[in-house]
Amino acid sequence: MDSYTSMKTKLNATGFYTVQEGTALSRELIAYSRGLSLLFNELKEMLRELFIHTAQTYGIENRERFVGKTRDEYTLEKRREMLIITESNIGTGCTLNDFTKTLNGYGLENFEFIENPTAFKLTIVIHDTLTDAQKNLVKQKVAQDFPLHLSVEIQYS
């Protein structure tokens, strides 16, 4: 039911008004309904952009900015996937599986870990092809997201 029909039905039900086509009251309700339609459309878009699974434009971009970088070079589905991984990793543990998810959240797919637990050292060997800017971003994100007690070294091959 549209806004006009809803308002008309409710006003007629009170018994105080009789909304008939072409009257001033009818035209006023039509004007209100057009304004309400604009608001409802805006609210529908806001609700869609609120959730990662349904966001299509500014909802994705704002979340990406919040976690570090807008990723225009990826498809919308890949961007959603990386955001879901990134946001699900907040406050998680320190296992290699957790680190793998974190790196997947950066968009990396081909990498391996070399552990030296007694020295609290972790080497990440990245086999993905990255630009210098992407390498700098990975370095910044690792420094930000990995535990401080680990000495993390990043190598590229």
Side-chain angles (χ1 to χ4, degrees):
M1 177 182 307
D2 66 336
S3 299
Y4 173 77
T5 307
S6 176
M7 290 185 290
K8 179 180 172 182
T9 303
K10 289 175 178 131
L11 286 174
N12 284 338
T14 66
F16 296 117
Y17 300 95
T18 303
V19 181
Q20 296 175 347
E21 299 297 321
T23 63
L25 179 57
S26 176
R27 289 190 299 272
E28 186 175 358
L29 291 180
I30 289 170
Y32 287 145
S33 73
R34 288 182 181 157
L36 287 171
S37 292
L38 294 173
L39 290 174
F40 288 144
N41 290 338
E42 188 72 26
L43 287 172
K44 192 184 302 181
E45 179 185 355
M46 289 170 61
L47 185 61
R48 182 192 71 216
E49 295 297 320
L50 179 64
F51 300 101
I52 294 173
H53 292 288
T54 56
Q56 296 177 11
T57 56
Y58 66 84
I60 294 287
E61 291 167 9
N62 287 339
R63 283 180 183 269
E64 285 176 333
R65 270 198 302 274
F66 180 74
V67 297
K69 185 176 188 296
T70 302
R71 299 293 190 83
D72 294 332
E73 67 270 17
Y74 294 103
T75 66
L76 185 60
E77 286 306 314
K78 180 68 174 173
R79 292 167 74 186
R80 279 191 184 122
E81 178 184 324
M82 290 188 303
L83 280 171
I84 290 168
I85 291 168
T86 300
E87 290 193 6
S88 69
N89 284 338
I90 296 173
T92 58
C94 294
T95 67
L96 289 182
N97 190 38
D98 295 326
F99 296 154
T100 298
K101 288 179 183 177
T102 299
L103 293 178
N104 289 147
Y106 302 164
L108 300 174
E109 296 176 356
N110 192 5
F111 53 86
E112 61 183 301
F113 298 108
I114 301 171
E115 292 181 279
N116 185 348
T118 56
F120 296 102
K121 184 173 182 181
L122 178 68
T123 303
I124 305 169
V125 182
I126 299 173
H127 304 290
D128 291 319
T129 304
L130 302 175
T131 65
D132 288 339
Q134 290 171 322
K135 289 178 183 178
N136 285 334
L137 180 65
V138 168
K139 182 180 177 182
Q140 291 172 2
K141 296 295 286 174
V142 166
Q144 174 185 337
D145 295 338
F146 279 64
L148 294 175
H149 73 278
L150 285 179
S151 173
V152 181
E153 179 184 346
I154 303 171
Q155 296 177 358
Y156 297 93
S157 69

